[in-house]
Amino acid sequence: MPYLGSEDVVKELKKALCNPHVQADRLRYRNVIQRVIRHMTQGLDMSGVFMEMVKASATVDIVQKKLVYLYMCTYAPLKPDLALLAINTLCKDCSDPNPMVRGLALRSMCSLRMPKLDQWGQAEVLNFLLRYQPRSEEELFDILNLLDSFLKSSSPGVVMGATKLFLILAKKFPHVQTDVLVQVKGPLLAACSSESRELCFAALCHVRQILHSLPGHFSSHYKKFFCSYSEPHYIKLQKVEVLCELVNDENVQQVLEELRGYCTDVSADFAQAAIFAIGGIARTYTDQCVQILTELLGLRQEHITTVVVQTFRDLVWLCPQCTEAVCQALPGCEENIQDSEGKQALIWLLGVHGERIPNAPYVLEDFVENVKSETFPAVKMELLTALLRLFLSRPAECQDMLGRLLHYCIEEEKDMAVRDRGLFYYRLLLAGIDEVKRILCSPKSDPSLGLLEDQAERPVNSWASDFNTLVPVYGKARWATISKYQWAERRGPELPNTASFATPGPLIPEESKETVQELPDSEALMLVPSCQLTAEYFEKTWFSLKVAHQQVFPWRGAVHPDTLQMALQVVNIQTIAMSRAGAHPWKAYLGAQDDTGCLFLTELLLEPESSEMQISVKQNEPRTETLNSFISVLETVLGTIGDIKS
Amino acid sequence: MISQFFILSSKGDPLIYKDFRGDSGGRDVAELFYRKLTGLPGDESPVVMHHDDRHFIHIRHSGLYLVATTSENISPFSLLELLSRLATLLGDYCGSLSEGTISRNVALVYELLDEVLDYGYVQTTSMEMLRNFIQTEAVVSKPFSLFDLSSVGLFGAETQQSKVAPSSAASRPILTSRSDQSQKNEVFLDVVERLSVLIASNGSLLKVDVQGEIRLKSFLPSGSEMRIGLTEEFCVGKSELRGYGPGIRVDEVSFHSSVLLEEFESHRILRLQPPQGELTVMRYQLSDDLPSPLPFRLFPSVQWDRGSGRLQVYLKLRCDLPPKSQALNVRLHLPLPRGVVSLSQELSGPEQKAELGEGALRWDLPRVQGGSQLSGLFQMDVPGLPGPPGQAPSTSAPLGLGPASLSFELPRHTCSGLQVRFLRLAFRPCGNANPHKWVRHLSHSDAYVIRI
């Protein structure tokens, strides 16, 4: 047989396939088809005879059918338009009386692979796959391997879609999640410096999201987040936020220098945002930041001074070690503050730390002199408190003006709140100086608050489902109000049914406040808000009563005590004691009282590794109907909190 | 999935409105969107806004707002990408994207939207597919003329040069094959780099960032193959070594999915069969390490007499480009302390201009030759600037002065050094003259900031 190149082979086979004599002879026809398959297996390109092969599929010979379908499945990706022709035959075969033919056709149809989807299709499919739950670990990693190539796509939509799918599928493998976030760093940074501002903004929002869980993730790329003056305001603000969050020992100097440049920006809003940002960094790098802020006061610009003083106020509360430096910087500020917020901050500082600021009484005296023309009631209230505090540490200098201020507030002031505050302080002073000290000398700082505010690193899983959605772009807080609104719109009228409390989409505590408060009305249970049980009384009562009701409640993961406590407070259930987050076993004791005086004492118990929360309720008067109502309220709260978490 | 799509002019006039799903309120959404946009508080971003249960997502492109609404919590990346892609498509079909071209081609735009989106889902955005369905022809305002040098676009940024393609050549519609057969076979290949630089007050370089793109706009029939040869010393990553000398190094490269890379490893040749229209062939980034010196150096000196409130700023600008190159439309922007009242200036050239505005000094230099040095002396009175009187003039800058930023264009220059060696077409012209190939290089400033 002469050697033939693949082109000649194709030509020859094509001729043979078209030959009506061959077609008439079943065996010869099958033979030619077998040759096609053989060449195909050897790696020759046989896609040229696709048309003829499709025609050959219309046959009663099952062997021939099988061969043709094998061929079609191989070459369909190369000839998608011709493969469509084959579908007609396949459809017809699906209604064939012979079950073997039907099965074959169905299987072939499923294995026809069309050319790859374009980027829009890919993004859709990646989104759709989020619903899939892999059955085994093996399958999971197979999927992840397939996903890898999408992370390198040139379309940001596809890359982010693949990243989200990765994060969701690998929720039990934190190291895999971290790997993906490392891989997606490049595309995200590229999007952050994209020419499209809108894309840049979306990317920055997602960078912030990632930084919540992996604080060091972008630290070495901090320069990418420096602002340029031509950028729109909203991008600059995001970049400043990002800079604050990725600051570390190595880059703090450069970042602060950059931020200081922004503080004198033409846009007052942006300048103020930069100053607040420096204040945020000051919680960790106090000395450097306080020095920069002090220098800014030298500018004597109203919009700068007011924000710096507000930053100082927050700072001394969280970082008491900087009080000395702040007190030295304050004199002279009062000349450049006109707005309410700034005045309040300054007056507060003068009141609380006045003993360290030599001219504090004289500054306050100016405020007292001008109190008649002061337009903001909040400033007057602050002034009253500050002056009384300062009076305690420097009585000689303050006594006279304190008298004048109290006189003014009680006799002439129109604002009731200010007047009441004045009266209150006056009567307090009558009760003796020790009483005043007991009320007013509260702590001057609380560093632990800073730890609370910083919020520990959030696990990736807490935001994975929000990734590549509008949530990070709006910001969590704004999204909460939006979804609350939407939720109310959609579900509003059919609310008071407790049983259908399973809500679609994310829920927030504020929502539960409204919905849950409606519940007691419909169930004739009214919990009293003012119920104040002491721990001792609770303990005594708890041991004296029998359990009236016990049940389990499905629960996944750990409990966030703060959130739970807040939600319970909303429905007037008081938290007596609660384990800290992550304790094993986790316990909480709750108390509540209804308007008839009936007490409800509750224990929540979450055993380690258990997926159920045990609820035990005791009641001092055996009344079943109110007990059931109470339990449904409790369940609602727990259900809502559980929803938010998952 | 989107519910509605509309285009607004920069003043908020609706140009195009299309409802895909009929699931949300009527046409007044466009007005609502503009009202929300203009009434937005300063600290909120306009990119995504919401009203009731509807989200507005938009991009700004050539002064127009392209807005999509949706009620789903969808991927912002995909949607923003879709909007940019729509902007490119509209630009390709209408010649360029502007209020004028859109309102002249309303029928065409609706036809396009109809094909691209079905019930709010994307069907296709590929030029190849779309050209089979689009019947309307673009209305061009004035006949295309080779000698029209009036407008300056990116694809014609070098209008002030001789022997380059006319500026409007690239801003004409992609014609469908049915119509004008005598269309010119042209292809434009632009290497565009955006440069962002931060220089400390002591002159040391804090940050250099180059974002580069190779963009192709093809008027050739779809599917005609072309090969683009890049500088052979082009290296990717920090470690790769190629050729002699330092090579042309970039940190990261990404290619359009249609680019074939068999010859890239060996010869730095990109092979592709581009569809008609615009396409970003390659994107690359380069940080911190430039092969050539920076295009500009600024040497400022500041004299500040606190007592009299007199501020004197002397700026010396040195252009370190090769002598044959030049920078165009150079503008220096220097924020000043608040309360500057008067300005007197001495500039080194008559074509330069300096003026005060928005709390900043603006110094315009229309053209700066490589290797040249320009200077300006600016004297200002700052009566409001406080400070203890009676001090000697100091050389330290008052707060609020600076940082200076420069904007400029560098035609025929790439900061990374990347060049296109050749552009070869495997296209056989059918009776027509050989296709015209225009290869251009351009760098422009993104943010070029010098602290003072």
Side-chain angles (χ1 to χ4, degrees):
Chain A
M1 197 172 155
Y3 173 78
L4 296 171
S6 81
E7 264 178 50
D8 293 332
V9 176
V10 172
K11 223 180 266 171
E12 190 207 320
L13 288 170
K14 202 170 190 163
K15 225 192 241 150
L17 284 167
C18 291
N19 190 341
H21 297 295
V22 175
Q23 286 178 0
D25 185 341
R26 188 193 279 190
L27 276 180
R28 268 178 76 191
Y29 202 15
R30 192 194 283 179
N31 241 334
V32 178
I33 291 170
Q34 262 172 352
R35 271 180 64 202
V36 173
I37 303 281
R38 193 179 324 127
H39 288 306
M40 180 183 92
T41 332
Q42 284 164 0
L44 293 184
D45 181 13
M46 286 290 126
S47 61
V49 295
F50 199 90
M51 197 63 204
E52 288 71 24
M53 292 295 273
V54 169
K55 276 185 198 152
S57 67
T59 172
V60 283
D61 182 358
I62 289 204
V63 181
Q64 185 176 334
K65 239 189 210 325
K66 278 189 177 171
L67 289 173
V68 172
Y69 284 163
L70 174 69
Y71 171 89
M72 280 199 301
C73 291
T74 318
Y75 284 114
L78 293 176
K79 302 264 170 180
D81 36 346
L82 292 177
L84 285 176
L85 295 174
I87 289 185
N88 207 5
T89 322
L90 287 170
C91 284
K92 221 187 279 164
D93 282 354
C94 282
S95 47
D96 197 278
N98 185 345
M100 212 153 109
V101 175
R102 288 205 300 271
L104 181 66
L106 196 60
R107 202 186 59 200
S108 308
M109 196 147 34
C110 295
S111 45
L112 279 185
R113 283 199 198 91
M114 295 296 182
K116 270 196 238 138
L117 294 160
D118 67 354
Q119 51 160 314
W120 313 110
Q122 288 174 7
E124 282 293 329
V125 170
L126 288 169
N127 188 32
F128 187 74
L129 281 175
L130 289 171
R131 305 182 193 181
Y132 184 72
Q133 192 85 44
R135 270 160 299 184
S136 66
E137 207 165 285
E138 217 168 301
E139 189 186 359
L140 169 77
F141 280 101
D142 278 350
I143 299 177
L144 294 187
N145 282 336
L146 285 174
L147 277 178
D148 240 5
S149 63
F150 293 101
L151 290 174
K152 297 186 183 76
S153 166
S154 68
S155 146
V158 173
V159 175
M160 297 305 152
T163 309
K164 179 174 184 176
L165 188 52
F166 243 108
L167 293 178
I168 298 276
L169 286 177
K171 55 175 174 278
K172 294 204 184 99
F173 305 93
H175 61 280
V176 177
Q177 289 179 325
T178 315
D179 279 355
V180 172
L181 291 175
V182 169
Q183 275 198 55
V184 83
K185 208 154 127 180
L188 258 181
L189 283 172
C192 283
S193 40
S194 152
E195 236 173 329
S196 156
R197 292 158 165 188
E198 292 83 9
L199 188 65
C200 170
F201 178 75
L204 284 170
C205 294
H206 282 78
V207 164
R208 282 184 64 192
Q209 185 83 81
I210 294 175
L211 282 173
H212 284 319
S213 302
L214 307 166
H217 201 60
F218 291 95
S219 289
S220 51
H221 301 279
Y222 67 96
K223 285 178 186 168
K224 295 255 179 197
F225 303 101
F226 284 2
C227 305
S228 85
Y229 84 101
S230 55
E231 279 168 338
H233 198 60
Y234 59 88
I235 291 205
K236 286 185 184 171
L237 291 181
Q238 283 296 326
K239 284 192 169 175
V240 167
E241 294 282 332
V242 170
L243 280 175
C244 271
E245 278 169 56
L246 51 68
V247 87
N248 65 15
D249 289 356
E250 273 119 63
N251 60 27
V252 63
Q253 205 55 46
Q254 288 86 333
V255 170
L256 281 177
E257 206 157 301
E258 181 71 14
L259 285 174
R260 185 168 58 178
Y262 305 157
C263 296
T264 50
D265 195 274
V266 190
S267 151
D269 286 342
F270 181 51
Q272 295 185 341
I275 295 169
F276 278 128
I278 295 179
I281 296 176
R283 289 172 196 179
T284 329
Y285 301 96
T286 313
D287 293 345
Q288 288 136 296
C289 295
V290 170
Q291 197 195 337
I292 292 177
L293 293 170
T294 311
E295 280 171 26
L296 288 173
L297 287 176
L299 282 172
R300 310 205 178 180
Q301 295 289 328
E302 264 174 38
H303 72 281
I304 293 179
T305 308
T306 171
V307 179
V308 171
V309 171
Q310 290 171 51
T311 311
F312 277 157
R313 172 197 55 194
D314 300 344
L315 205 55
V316 294
W317 184 256
L318 298 175
C319 312
Q321 72 273 22
C322 69
T323 312
E324 197 58 53
V326 167
C327 289
Q328 280 172 12
L330 278 182
C333 286
E334 67 279 2
E335 291 163 25
N336 296 302
I337 298 184
Q338 292 301 328
D339 65 317
S340 158
E341 287 291 318
K343 278 184 189 171
Q344 287 179 54
L346 178 65
I347 293 172
W348 186 87
L349 279 167
L350 291 172
V352 175
H353 298 288
E355 77 274 7
R356 302 199 205 181
I357 308 169
N359 71 340
Y362 308 103
V363 179
L364 287 181
E365 186 160 22
D366 278 345
F367 280 108
V368 174
E369 295 288 300
N370 299 319
V371 73
K372 274 183 197 155
S373 52
E374 179 60 62
T375 43
F376 307 106
V379 174
K380 295 180 194 170
M381 307 257 265
E382 199 64 61
L383 185 60
L384 268 170
T385 313
L387 196 53
L388 194 57
R389 277 202 183 122
L390 194 60
F391 169 70
L392 296 177
S393 54
R394 300 168 75 163
E397 294 154 287
C398 295
Q399 186 169 10
D400 183 46
M401 57 171 149
L402 179 62
R404 269 184 286 150
L405 182 64
L406 283 173
H407 182 266
Y408 166 80
C409 288
I410 296 166
E411 296 292 326
E412 294 178 44
E413 177 59 44
K414 301 269 187 327
D415 189 282
M416 287 310 272
V418 179
R419 205 173 142 249
D420 284 353
R421 176 79 61 100
L423 268 174
F424 168 67
Y425 284 148
Y426 176 69
R427 288 170 189 154
L428 193 61
L429 282 166
L430 289 182
I433 205 76
D434 291 334
E435 198 65 11
V436 178
K437 276 188 182 149
R438 201 171 67 78
I439 301 280
L440 278 182
C441 291
S442 46
K444 293 184 175 182
S445 67
D446 184 7
S448 65
L449 203 65
L451 296 176
L452 260 182
E453 247 179 45
D454 269 349
Q455 286 170 346
E457 292 164 27
R458 277 171 241 163
V460 174
N461 285 331
S462 68
W463 50 261
S465 57
D466 291 340
F467 196 81
N468 195 26
T469 67
L470 297 177
V471 182
V473 184
Y474 275 116
K476 199 112 190 164
R478 262 183 79 205
W479 178 257
T481 56
I482 294 166
S483 56
K484 171 186 171 184
Y485 187 79
Q486 290 184 348
W487 187 81
E489 284 273 286
R490 236 174 280 158
R491 297 218 121 220
E494 39 176 312
L495 243 185
N497 184 356
T498 8
S500 70
F501 206 76
T503 50
L507 252 181
I508 50 146
E510 279 88 340
E511 271 164 41
S512 60
K513 186 191 306 187
E514 286 176 3
T515 55
V516 172
Q517 273 179 342
E518 278 176 42
L519 296 175
D521 299 336
S522 59
E523 306 281 348
L525 168 82
M526 194 64 124
L527 295 179
V528 190
S530 54
C531 152
Q532 288 298 335
L533 300 171
T534 61
E536 294 83 32
Y537 180 73
F538 181 91
E539 202 176 336
K540 212 175 79 194
T541 326
W542 178 263
F543 286 115
S544 67
L545 292 173
K546 264 189 266 168
V547 175
H549 178 90
Q550 198 156 27
Q551 73 168 89
V552 290
F553 191 82
W555 191 269
R556 268 177 299 145
V559 187
H560 296 288
D562 297 341
T563 326
L564 183 59
Q565 186 168 356
M566 224 158 63
L568 288 168
Q569 209 175 352
V570 165
V571 292
N572 299 330
I573 298 179
Q574 186 197 351
T575 309
I576 309 290
M578 206 178 251
S579 318
R580 64 190 158 71
H584 297 297
W586 184 88
K587 274 188 185 179
Y589 290 97
L590 318 170
Q593 193 168 23
D594 74 357
D595 49 353
T596 61
C598 176
L599 276 178
F600 300 92
L601 308 182
T602 313
E603 182 195 54
L604 304 178
L605 173 63
L606 190 65
E607 295 281 4
E609 306 301 321
S610 160
S611 61
E612 283 167 341
M613 181 173 295
Q614 270 193 35
I615 305 175
S616 326
V617 183
K618 296 184 180 180
Q619 209 180 4
N620 65 350
E621 295 167 40
R623 280 164 48 189
T624 336
E625 70 279 23
T626 54
L627 179 65
N628 287 342
S629 314
F630 175 78
I631 285 162
S632 80
V633 169
L634 193 63
E635 274 180 350
T636 312
V637 173
L638 291 176
T640 314
I641 299 293
D643 267 2
I644 299 166
K645 245 163 27 75
S646 56
Chain B
M1 182 208 73
I2 66 178
S3 300
Q4 290 147 316
F5 172 79
F6 48 91
I7 303 181
L8 299 186
S9 74
S10 53
K11 292 186 215 75
D13 308 321
L15 303 174
I16 296 289
Y17 169 87
K18 190 158 172 63
D19 193 335
F20 291 101
R21 298 173 66 85
D23 60 352
S24 38
R27 305 183 60 109
D28 54 328
V29 284
E31 196 190 317
L32 180 73
F33 165 80
Y34 195 71
R35 255 203 338 263
K36 282 198 88 80
L37 189 77
T38 42
L40 202 71
D43 54 343
E44 279 181 28
S45 97
V47 179
V48 194
M49 297 186 295
H50 78 103
H51 182 81
D52 291 358
D53 56 348
R54 194 177 315 141
H55 305 282
F56 294 96
I57 297 164
H58 85 278
I59 62 167
R60 265 205 94 163
H61 203 288
S62 325
L64 301 175
Y65 297 100
L66 282 83
V67 194
T69 74
T70 177
S71 51
E72 279 190 6
N73 187 9
I74 55 164
S75 156
F77 291 98
S78 292
L79 191 47
L80 289 171
E81 223 180 329
L82 173 66
L83 291 175
S84 328
R85 179 69 194 143
L86 276 173
T88 320
L89 271 178
L90 293 175
D92 277 351
Y93 269 95
C94 304
S96 65
L97 193 59
S98 72
E99 196 176 333
T101 52
I102 293 292
S103 47
R104 267 194 297 277
N105 290 294
V106 170
L108 175 63
V109 174
Y110 279 119
E111 198 182 358
L112 257 175
L113 287 176
D114 229 18
E115 297 299 338
V116 170
L117 288 150
D118 180 34
Y119 202 54
Y121 293 96
V122 187
Q123 304 225 80
T124 178
T125 56
S126 109
M127 202 70 194
E128 214 100 318
M129 302 285 282
L130 286 169
R131 55 180 292 128
N132 298 324
F133 306 112
I134 304 298
Q135 305 286 330
T136 320
E137 273 166 37
V139 182
V140 192
S141 58
K142 43 192 172 197
F144 165 63
S145 150
L146 254 181
F147 304 102
D148 179 15
L149 298 174
S150 57
S151 67
V152 180
L154 186 56
F155 278 97
E158 292 166 287
T159 50
Q160 294 174 29
Q161 311 287 302
S162 54
K163 288 187 181 174
V164 296
S167 60
S168 60
S171 59
R172 64 188 161 96
I174 310 280
L175 296 165
T176 51
S177 52
R178 279 178 297 280
S179 61
D180 195 5
Q181 283 301 320
S182 66
Q183 61 172 293
K184 284 182 81 174
N185 291 314
E186 284 190 307
V187 53
F188 297 82
L189 187 69
D190 285 0
V191 182
V192 184
E193 294 190 346
R194 287 186 295 138
L195 181 65
S196 44
V197 169
L198 180 62
I199 301 173
S201 49
N202 61 7
S204 66
L205 198 57
L206 293 177
K207 165 192 164 186
V208 191
D209 214 9
V210 177
Q211 304 279 333
E213 275 181 356
I214 300 184
R215 289 188 216 166
L216 181 78
K217 184 156 182 170
S218 160
F219 292 91
L220 303 176
S222 286
S224 36
E225 186 178 300
M226 60 178 71
R227 293 162 79 228
I228 303 169
L230 304 178
T231 321
E232 287 209 63
E233 293 82 31
F234 184 67
C235 322
V236 182
K238 295 271 181 227
S239 53
E240 194 181 10
L241 262 182
R242 268 185 116 85
Y244 309 102
I248 308 296
R249 191 175 296 281
V250 301
D251 296 340
E252 267 181 75
V253 182
S254 67
F255 298 95
H256 188 268
S257 54
S258 70
V259 179
L260 302 172
L261 295 169
E262 302 110 34
E263 291 176 82
F264 182 72
E265 262 317 299
S266 52
H267 296 104
R268 296 305 190 214
I269 294 173
L270 311 175
R271 207 152 63 78
L272 70 161
Q273 300 185 342
Q276 280 197 342
E278 214 178 310
L279 178 83
T280 302
V281 177
M282 178 175 127
R283 280 203 175 96
Y284 56 94
Q285 289 157 48
L286 166 62
S287 304
D288 292 338
D289 207 11
L290 271 194
S292 53
L294 284 172
F296 286 104
R297 283 283 185 182
L298 184 71
F299 303 95
S301 64
V302 178
Q303 289 271 327
W304 183 29
D305 184 359
R306 279 168 180 264
S308 63
R310 173 148 291 234
L311 178 65
Q312 180 178 313
V313 180
Y314 179 68
L315 299 174
K316 197 166 75 178
L317 186 68
R318 197 179 75 203
C319 178
D320 288 340
L321 291 172
K324 278 184 186 163
S325 308
Q326 58 180 351
L328 300 179
N329 304 328
V330 182
R331 168 175 288 184
L332 186 137
H333 179 98
L334 179 71
L336 299 171
R338 290 202 167 199
V340 170
V341 283
S342 63
L343 171 74
S344 70
Q345 47 184 314
E346 283 169 45
L347 305 175
S348 60
E351 75 286 357
Q352 304 170 16
K353 238 175 39 192
E355 57 190 28
L356 291 177
E358 289 179 3
L361 169 74
R362 216 175 63 200
W363 183 20
D364 286 328
L365 310 114
R367 182 180 298 240
V368 179
Q369 201 66 36
S372 65
Q373 199 154 272
L374 303 159
S375 63
L377 178 67
F378 306 95
Q379 291 194 333
M380 287 152 281
D381 281 321
V382 201
L385 206 63
Q391 266 187 8
S394 72
T395 48
S396 68
L399 281 158
L401 179 72
S405 48
L406 278 171
S407 63
F408 50 82
E409 287 169 24
L410 310 174
R412 286 185 294 181
H413 181 85
T414 52
C415 297
S416 65
L418 178 67
Q419 302 276 329
V420 171
R421 265 187 302 149
F422 60 80
L423 169 63
R424 264 181 220 143
L425 308 175
F427 167 67
R428 293 170 214 105
C430 39
N432 232 333
N434 270 331
H436 289 278
K437 301 177 286 184
W438 303 102
V439 178
R440 287 170 295 195
H441 299 91
L442 170 73
S443 296
H444 61 102
S445 59
D446 190 20
Y448 199 96
V449 180
I450 304 138
R451 289 190 188 145
I452 290 187

